[in-house]
Every structure is written in structure tokens, then in C-alpha cells.
């Protein structure tokens, strides 16, 4: 029986993770959960899974929760409640914990990931921003501590599976597939008119807001290129992106003999989550099998880099190295939030990220402080640019 912590359990990946864990209740005990603000659902999860410890990161939500917990405790619930970043770190490094599923969104996932690795626990990671901002640091620490970082991102899970077909020096390149998001066919000149709800309607995957907007700009795929670089120790020029609107082929590995190995399934996050939980074992489930005769067509084409500059910006950040990817990721978090709050247009997202990256003075071989400083600087700079834009509108 493994004790598992799910960070971000009320988010899209977190909910799917709990769904998978509940299918294997004889193998996994839900030991800890964390949430930010979705306290209603969080309470339901606590009642259902009875975790020993939980953490809440949002202060107001924490207070409200503590008050309501008193009544829960009367019903002999012994859940211990932690607060904030310290709470997340405590959850991850608890001696009783075997595995942490990090399904947090954004830079907030970094310190919990580090705490998990440093205490030698297994880490299944859906929090790609963590790997983007501090991939070098995390993978080095993981090596030191003999921790295997297992990807939950569907593309990286696919690559992990495809890589089993050969040796590392036989790999010619990794091919990440991208659905292309909702604006594949929309003209670039119309981008400034894109509404928030249009950006939030993804054609094939149901996900949280930030990643859905990232998918619409293709920034998500760019972040995944950086994620793949660190997870699989592959140089950027060996990582390619192809648009594949059906989201059936989740990624591919091309080998030196011309063989192309692809991993396919219906788009369902429970499949990569389960693979990470049991890696390298496979267990039967009730997941819907893929019926290719129903799908009929699988199409692939090159991404339009002019229309979707996000992809190129990410390759650029990877090339710049050091603190550049941390700046990219932080600036992107800020502009996506501003777009969701209707402060900037869809077209502004990549423009402001690019500008912020350009202004950054890269620190090479960054330590944790350098990365956190770069993150802070990028947030301030991106916010400054968002406000400049507001002024020109007045
Ligand atoms: Mg993905």
C-alpha cells in the first residue's frame, strides 16, 4: 500500500488522479490533498477519501475551511490541516508519504516539487511550469536522490512509453503532437477580437483555464518542448512539434532506422496518470478503448509559426538557457491571467511574453534564488507592460 499526496486535488488533473486512485484503492491510500480556493469540492474529497493531512494555499479559503472543519471533526474526522506553501512542503516531505502527484498550476508547484525530491519520494508531475522554470535544478536533484520524475502530461507520458522501443542513442527525435487549439483556422488579424470564452473552448481536451488558454496560443506546446528537454535529456533541435487535431496520437519517437513509434489512445488524462502511478507496469481498467475504425482519419501538419509565435518564443527561451525559461513561464502566467480578466487581448499574450523575455538579463547556471528572483522580476515586468497597454487605450 502506497501513501499518496495529490497537490491541486480540486483541479482537472487532480480530480482525474483521485478517480484513478479510487480505482486502485487496494494499492494506494490517499494520504494528503491540497487545494487553493475550491473549498466546496475539497470538503467532499476529504469526506470521501479521509486523508490524514491536507493543505490549503489561499488564506481566506483556509480560514473559512477551519471554521467549517470543526463540525466535520465532531464527526470524528481526524484530518490535520496545513496552510500555505509551508503546508504544501510539509505534506510532500511527510515521512509516511511514498508518492506525490503534483497537479498544481504555475510556479507555485516548484518548492513542493523540490521538497518531494529532496525527501526522496516518488514524483508524478503534471505541473509543467515547474520543469520549465527549474528543469536543470529538479532533474539534477532527482539524480542525486535517485528519484524518477514521472510525467503525467499526456505527450510526455507518450514519449516515455515510445522510448521503451529503443536505446537513447538510437533516438533521432521526439515529436510532440498538438491539437492546435480552437484557433487553428482563425485568421491572425482577427486575434485581437478573440473572446475569453472562445479561448476556453478546447476542441479535444477538457482542462483548467490556464492550460486551455496556453493551448490556444500554442504556448502550452512550447512549454512542453522545454519540459521534454529536461525530462528526456534531449537537445531542442531533436524535439519537433506537429499539429494533430484529433488528439489521438499523443506523441511519437523517431528512431535512427526510420521507425516511428507512436502512442495512441482516446484523449483521457486517466490513462497517463495511471501509467505514471504504475510505471513501468500496465494494469487493466475500464477506460474506453480506442476504436480506429470510428476515428478513420488521423492528420498531421506543420505548425504555422508566424501565426502562433508562442512556440518559437519557447524554443528561444530554451536556447537562451539559464533563467530565461523561468521568465518565460512567469510572464506567461501573468499575461494569461490578464487575458482571462479581459485586461489585454489574445494577441497581446505572446507579444508581452516576448517583450519581457527580451528585456531579461539571463543568469546562467541559476540556483534556486536566481530562479525565484527571475520569476519575481518577470511578473513585475509583465504587469508593467500590461499597464502600459492600458494607458495607451485611455
Ligand atoms: Mg500536454
Amino acid at each position: 500500500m502506497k501513501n499518496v499526496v495529490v497537490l491541486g486535488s480540486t483541479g482537472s488533473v487532480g480530480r482525474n488522479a483521485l478517480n484513478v486512485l479510487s480505482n486502485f484503492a487496494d494499492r494506494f491510500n490517499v494520504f494528503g490533498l491540497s487545494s487553493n480556493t475550491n473549498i466546496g469540492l475539497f470538503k467532499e474529497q476529504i469526506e470521501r477519501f479521509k486523508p490524514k493531512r491536507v493543505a490549503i494555499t489561499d488564506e481566506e479559503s483556509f480560514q473559512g475551511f477551519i471554521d467549517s472543519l470543526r463540525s466535520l471533526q465532531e464527526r470524528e474526522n481526524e484530518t490535520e490541516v496545513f496552510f500555505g506553501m509551508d503546508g504544501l512542503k510539509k505534506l510532500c516531505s511527510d515521512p509516511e508519504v511514498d508518492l506525490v502527484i503534483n497537479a498544481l498550476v504555475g510556479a507555485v508547484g516548484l518548492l513542493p516539487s523540490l521538497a518531494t525530491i529532496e525527501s526522496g519520494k516518488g514524483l508524478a508531475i503534471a505541473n509543467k511550469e515547474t520543469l520549465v522554470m527549474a528543469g536543470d535544478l529538479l532533474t539534477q536533484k532527482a539524480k542525486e536522490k535517485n528519484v524518477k520524475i514521472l510525467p503525467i502530461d499526456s505527450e510526455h507520458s507518450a514519449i516515455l512509453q515510445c522510448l521503451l522501443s529503443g536505446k537513447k542513442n538510437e533516438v533521432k527525435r521526439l515529436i510532440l503532437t498538438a491539437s492546435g487549439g480552437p484557433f487553428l483556422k482563425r485568421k491572425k488579424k482577427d486575434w485581437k477580437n478573440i473572446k475569453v470564452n472562445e479561448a476556453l473552448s478546447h476542441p479535444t481536451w477538457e482542462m483548467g483555464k490556464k492550460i486551455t488558454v496556453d493551448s490556444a496560443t500554442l504556448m502550452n506546446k512550447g512549454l512542453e518542448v522545454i519540459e521534454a528537454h529536461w525530462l528526456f535529456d534531449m537537445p531542442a533541435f531533436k524535439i519537433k512539434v506537429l499539429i494533430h487535431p484529433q488528439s489521438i496520437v499523443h506523441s511519437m519517437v523517431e528512431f535512427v532506422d526510420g521507425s516511428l513509434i507512436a502512442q495512441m489512445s482516446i484523449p483521457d488524462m486517466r490513462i497517463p496518470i495511471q501509467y505514471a502511478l504504475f510505471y513501468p507496469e500496465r494494469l487493466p481498467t475500464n477506460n474506453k478503448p480506442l476504436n480506429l475504425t470510428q476515428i478513420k482519419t488521423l492528420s498531421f501538419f506543420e505548425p504555422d509559426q508566424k501565426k502562433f509565435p508562442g512556440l518559437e518564443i519557447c524554443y528561444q527561451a530554451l536556447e537562451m538557457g539559464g533563467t530565461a525559461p523561468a521568465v518565460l513561464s512567469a510572464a506567461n502566467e501573468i499575461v494569461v491571467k490578464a487575458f482571462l480578466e479581459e485586461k489585454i487581448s489574445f494577441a497581446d499574450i505572446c507579444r508581452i511574453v516576448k517583450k519581457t523575455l527580451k528585456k531579461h538579463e539571463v543568469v546562467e547556471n541559476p540556483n534556486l534564488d536566481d530562479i525565484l528572483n527571475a520569476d519575481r522580476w518577470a511578473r513585475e515586468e509583465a504587469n508593467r507592460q500590461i499597464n502600459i497597454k492600458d494607458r495607451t487605450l485611455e
Side-chain angles (χ1 to χ4, degrees):
M1 195 70 141
K2 277 188 177 174
N3 278 333
V4 184
V5 167
V6 183
L7 301 181
S9 64
T10 51
S12 170
V13 173
R15 293 195 306 267
N16 276 307
L18 285 177
N19 186 307
V20 175
L21 291 169
S22 64
N23 288 339
F24 297 99
D26 53 331
R27 303 273 297 257
F28 297 104
N29 171 44
V30 177
F31 179 88
L33 299 173
S34 96
S35 179
N36 189 31
T37 53
N38 192 349
I39 296 308
L41 176 61
F42 199 46
K43 272 192 217 157
E44 284 173 30
Q45 293 180 341
I46 291 170
E47 291 209 41
R48 174 155 178 220
F49 292 96
K50 304 196 167 39
K52 194 162 174 187
R53 309 212 156 92
V54 299
I56 296 169
T57 40
D58 178 69
E59 194 167 356
E60 211 172 291
S61 307
F62 174 74
Q63 276 313 332
F65 182 79
I66 287 292
D67 295 338
S68 67
L69 194 76
R70 284 182 191 124
S71 57
L72 271 181
Q73 263 170 345
E74 279 159 23
R75 308 205 316 256
E76 66 190 347
N77 192 313
E78 304 246 317
T79 302
E80 196 177 350
V81 190
F82 299 140
F83 168 65
M85 182 54 76
D86 278 346
L88 294 180
K89 288 198 278 187
K90 261 192 229 165
L91 270 189
C92 298
S93 51
D94 191 298
E96 287 185 67
V97 169
D98 301 297
L99 174 73
V100 174
I101 297 176
N102 186 342
L104 296 167
V105 178
V108 68
L110 176 59
L111 297 179
S113 287
L114 272 174
T116 303
I117 294 172
E118 264 163 9
S119 44
K121 321 281 188 195
L123 176 63
I125 196 161
N127 173 232
K128 69 188 70 177
E129 293 91 345
T130 291
L131 277 159
V132 170
M133 69 192 292
D136 200 10
L137 202 71
L138 279 177
T139 48
Q140 270 184 39
K141 275 258 170 348
K143 234 182 246 167
E144 264 170 48
K145 296 282 178 183
N146 205 14
V147 168
K148 178 143 180 87
I149 303 177
L150 289 162
I152 283 182
D153 213 343
S154 60
E155 293 78 0
H156 304 77
S157 175
I159 286 176
L160 184 67
Q161 296 176 54
C162 297
L163 283 172
L164 294 176
S165 293
K167 298 195 192 81
K168 196 179 165 201
N169 61 4
E170 297 165 348
V171 173
K172 192 171 175 195
R173 56 186 175 170
L174 312 180
I175 301 170
L176 297 174
T177 53
S179 71
F183 307 130
L184 258 188
K185 297 199 173 111
R186 189 122 165 198
K187 293 239 160 50
K188 178 87 192 235
K189 63 176 195 310
D190 190 35
W191 272 30
K192 55 183 186 304
N193 302 319
I194 285 172
K195 302 240 166 27
V196 169
N197 63 339
E198 295 175 294
L200 286 180
S201 54
H202 194 276
T204 50
W205 287 98
E206 215 182 295
M207 307 176 287
K209 281 184 184 174
K210 194 231 170 206
I211 185 172
T212 305
V213 175
D214 283 348
S215 296
T217 57
L218 282 204
M219 193 63 94
N220 181 54
K221 210 47 56 179
L223 298 176
E224 287 180 356
V225 167
I226 303 175
E227 188 186 2
H229 164 74
W230 292 116
L231 280 174
F232 306 112
D233 188 26
M234 280 286 153
F237 73 89
K238 285 191 170 184
I239 309 172
K240 191 182 160 55
V241 171
L242 279 183
I243 303 291
H244 168 51
Q246 296 85 8
S247 296
I248 295 297
V249 172
H250 298 301
S251 276
M252 299 174 258
V253 174
E254 187 181 335
F255 287 92
V256 286
D257 63 351
S259 287
L260 192 64
I261 309 291
Q263 187 264 342
M264 294 188 261
S265 74
I266 53 157
D268 184 337
M269 279 312 289
R270 290 174 302 178
I271 297 172
I273 290 168
Q274 185 181 318
Y275 190 71
L277 286 177
F278 290 109
Y279 172 87
E281 251 185 287
R282 291 185 190 275
L283 271 81
T285 56
N286 300 326
N287 290 335
K288 213 172 115 203
L290 175 62
N291 184 342
L292 285 173
T293 59
Q294 258 170 22
I295 307 281
K296 287 193 174 66
T297 311
L298 297 176
S299 52
F300 301 88
F301 47 94
E302 297 280 344
D304 181 344
Q305 303 256 18
K306 278 218 175 83
K307 187 167 150 188
F308 294 99
L311 200 51
E312 202 187 343
I313 297 169
C314 291
Y315 274 103
Q316 232 169 45
L318 191 51
E319 179 109 334
M320 288 163 77
T323 44
V327 165
L328 163 95
S329 184
N332 184 53
E333 262 187 59
I334 293 295
V335 292
V336 168
K337 187 166 171 276
F339 169 70
L340 289 170
E341 290 166 355
E342 299 180 341
K343 288 182 186 160
I344 57 169
S345 80
F346 188 77
D348 287 332
I349 296 177
C350 291
R351 197 180 54 77
I352 296 177
V353 172
K354 193 175 179 175
K355 265 193 162 174
T356 307
L357 191 63
K358 211 172 161 188
K359 282 190 82 174
H360 177 60
E361 286 174 34
V362 174
V363 179
E364 284 178 40
N365 301 315
N367 59 25
L368 182 59
D369 279 343
D370 296 328
I371 290 168
L372 296 176
N373 284 336
D375 176 272
R376 217 169 301 137
W377 175 86
R379 282 164 202 272
E380 278 167 24
E381 178 58 28
N383 267 320
R384 202 183 62 82
Q385 304 225 16
I386 288 163
N387 292 329
I388 287 176
K389 200 195 150 281
D390 274 358
R391 240 178 286 139
T392 56
L393 280 177
E394 279 165 11

